[in-house]
Amino acid sequence: MSISAKLTDMPDHELIQRGTGACAGCPSPMGLRIVGKALGPDAIMVMTPSCAVASIGMMPKSCYDVPVLNVCFASAGASAAGISGALDVQIAKGVIAGPKPVVFNWVGDGGTYDIGFQGVSAAAERNDDFIHFCYNNEAYSNTGVQRSGATPLHAATTTTPAGKSEGKKSMPLLMLDHAPAYVATASIAYPQDFYKKIAKAKDIKGFRYIELHAPCGPGWKFPASETVEIGRMAVKTGAWALWEAENGALTINAPTLQLAEGKTKPSSLEDYLKVQGRFAGLMKDAAKEQAIAVMAQGIEKELADLLARSKR
Amino acid sequence: MTKEVLQPLAKPVYGAGGPTGTWRSQRPVLDKEKCTGCLLCWIYCPEAVIAREDRAIDYEYCKGCGLCARECPVGAIAMIREGEEA
């Protein structure tokens, strides 16, 4: 089945009710708008402590037009699994009529890479029936920008003021190694690609993982108007790769595929880094050139590994 | 026995975060002559304040992030300082 992702064909349905508590230019409501369009109104959202929870608004008002459950930080995997399992039982017993609503997590990198990792891993291993979205802003932005397992090398956070000395872990590939039915990466700058991936995941039963690269203005130190442009630069430099895997078969998506195949030259990594204040320390470092060259080599290796995996 | 939800429930409504248009220091102004209707501003707007039909902007809730003006491929949206004429 081919899915039309033309903007003119996208549904009107809005999950986000305007006047949210999110910062200006925030990628979380941007992403959730696409999620709402792809999944429709019959969905249940689960959130762990994050900006997405802080954005809800003031009780008894909510900016989200779906039922939302705020659960504790480590429990996204277990909570969504429990809700999904309970719905299955209620439908089987005839307590509620089908079809089953889509259960999904909207969780940051903290609730996925670090604190939520075991719960998400266990749910993937059990093949529980829900979609886990990780909106990855590469830090604990909600609590004042502390480093996470998704923070890249050399990025300054409040807990790595001189720049992080370790690289990020590859969460999407870790999830792929759990062998679920569907794993994908997406970017806020490519809403049509994201929409297509959600629409595809919606029709699959079992555990599905979609990670959205979500540049954060206050956390990464760039103006609110640049959220999309920085997301686009991340993809065009190869710092963020777009791919999907159905039943373990990995496909690299455009424009990452053209980078991996060497058909297009990656955009300047230095240009991508220097527009983000979190790399200001690196930009002033005497060993800057060498450090950026090492980062570029890392990207090249990641793309080569993805390409090899896509040909398996 | 009726089963009632004991927790207070929040309901979806515009302005759950308050009248967020007051956050704005600059406002986007659309030039309808230049607009080609590509809908990029509509899809990228984090607050969903741009109407799909005519790209009318809801200034009551627009936070003035400027993403629409930044992403418009034909420069049909200008950011104007609040208090100044377009």
Side-chain angles (χ1 to χ4, degrees):
Chain A
M1 189 188 72
S2 84
I3 298 153
S4 169
K6 284 205 313 218
L7 292 181
T8 45
D9 292 342
M10 274 194 200
D12 279 323
H13 176 67
E14 291 291 354
L15 190 155
I16 294 292
Q17 302 301 301
R18 60 189 66 168
T20 72
C23 300
C26 177
S28 169
M30 282 171 84
L32 277 171
R33 285 188 64 215
I34 311 292
V35 171
K37 290 183 189 306
L39 295 183
D42 200 15
I44 296 172
M45 175 156 67
V46 183
M47 291 177 167
T48 62
S50 65
C51 294
V53 170
S55 306
I56 290 176
M58 288 165 284
M59 194 75 188
K61 297 173 179 175
S62 166
C63 70
Y64 301 132
D65 197 6
V66 281
V68 181
L69 281 105
N70 299 329
V71 301
C72 70
F73 220 148
S75 79
S79 300
I83 293 162
S84 176
L87 287 170
D88 284 338
V89 170
Q90 288 195 308
I91 289 169
K93 287 186 173 173
V95 179
I96 56 168
K100 184 182 173 183
V102 183
V103 178
F104 71 97
N105 282 335
W106 185 258
V107 173
D109 44 303
T112 305
Y113 281 61
D114 306 340
I115 300 170
F117 184 66
Q118 61 80 18
V120 176
S121 173
E125 187 268 330
R126 291 189 304 260
N127 198 29
D128 290 323
D129 184 30
F130 67 88
I131 307 176
H132 183 93
F133 290 100
C134 169
Y135 74 97
N136 176 6
N137 54 21
E138 300 187 342
Y140 289 85
S141 294
N142 183 42
T143 48
V145 199
Q146 290 83 17
R147 95 195 263 291
S148 79
T151 305
L153 184 65
H154 301 308
T157 65
T158 50
T159 46
T160 56
K164 193 182 172 194
S165 45
E166 303 82 23
K168 60 181 179 183
K169 62 177 164 184
S170 184
M171 188 69 191
L173 287 174
L174 281 170
M175 293 321 293
L176 181 59
D177 282 337
H178 286 70
Y182 191 72
V183 179
T185 64
S187 161
I188 203 72
Y190 297 81
Q192 285 134 307
D193 174 75
F194 185 39
Y195 177 88
K196 264 196 274 189
K197 286 168 175 170
I198 306 164
K200 196 180 274 184
K202 186 188 175 189
D203 292 332
I204 297 170
K205 200 171 158 52
F207 182 87
R208 292 142 284 169
Y209 180 88
I210 302 178
E211 184 165 329
L212 179 73
H213 193 235
C216 164
W220 301 13
K221 310 263 180 284
F222 62 79
S225 60
E226 303 302 301
T227 306
V228 170
E229 179 57 21
I230 295 210
R232 192 181 293 124
M233 286 170 98
V235 171
K236 290 194 167 173
T237 53
W240 184 253
L242 297 179
W243 55 268
E244 64 188 321
E246 289 174 73
N247 297 313
L250 191 146
T251 311
I252 306 177
N253 306 117
T256 305
L257 178 64
Q258 286 70 24
L259 291 181
E261 287 179 334
K263 287 179 182 161
T264 50
K265 244 176 76 103
S267 305
S268 159
L269 186 60
E270 184 170 348
D271 287 351
Y272 169 62
L273 301 174
K274 78 180 178 197
V275 290
Q276 304 173 49
R278 62 177 175 162
F279 292 110
L282 175 68
M283 288 298 134
K284 282 183 238 150
D285 199 303
K288 176 184 87 171
E289 302 290 331
Q290 200 197 343
I292 293 174
V294 169
M295 288 167 94
Q297 278 166 13
I299 290 171
E300 224 171 275
K301 185 183 175 301
E302 272 173 38
L303 290 177
D305 288 350
L306 275 180
L307 192 64
R309 192 148 183 171
S310 73
K311 289 177 177 164
R312 250 193 232 167
Chain B
M1 193 182 84
T2 55
K3 288 181 181 170
E4 283 179 26
V5 178
L6 294 174
Q7 296 94 340
L9 285 174
K11 295 271 190 274
V13 63
Y14 284 1
T20 52
T22 58
W23 298 8
R24 202 170 57 234
S25 58
Q26 295 183 91
R27 67 183 185 281
V29 177
L30 174 75
D31 182 342
K32 285 192 174 168
E33 298 289 306
K34 282 190 194 166
C35 178
T36 61
C38 72
L39 296 180
L40 281 175
C41 59
W42 167 74
I43 202 68
Y44 281 132
C45 176
E47 286 297 314
V49 296
I50 301 179
R52 184 176 194 162
E53 300 71 31
D54 58 357
R55 274 71 66 198
I57 298 159
D58 182 349
Y59 291 112
E60 196 173 344
Y61 296 113
C62 167
K63 293 170 180 167
C65 70
L67 265 169
C68 51
R70 181 73 167 84
E71 292 304 320
C72 179
V74 294
I77 302 175
M79 295 304 288
I80 311 287
R81 284 195 73 81
E82 285 297 344
E84 286 174 15
E85 292 293 313

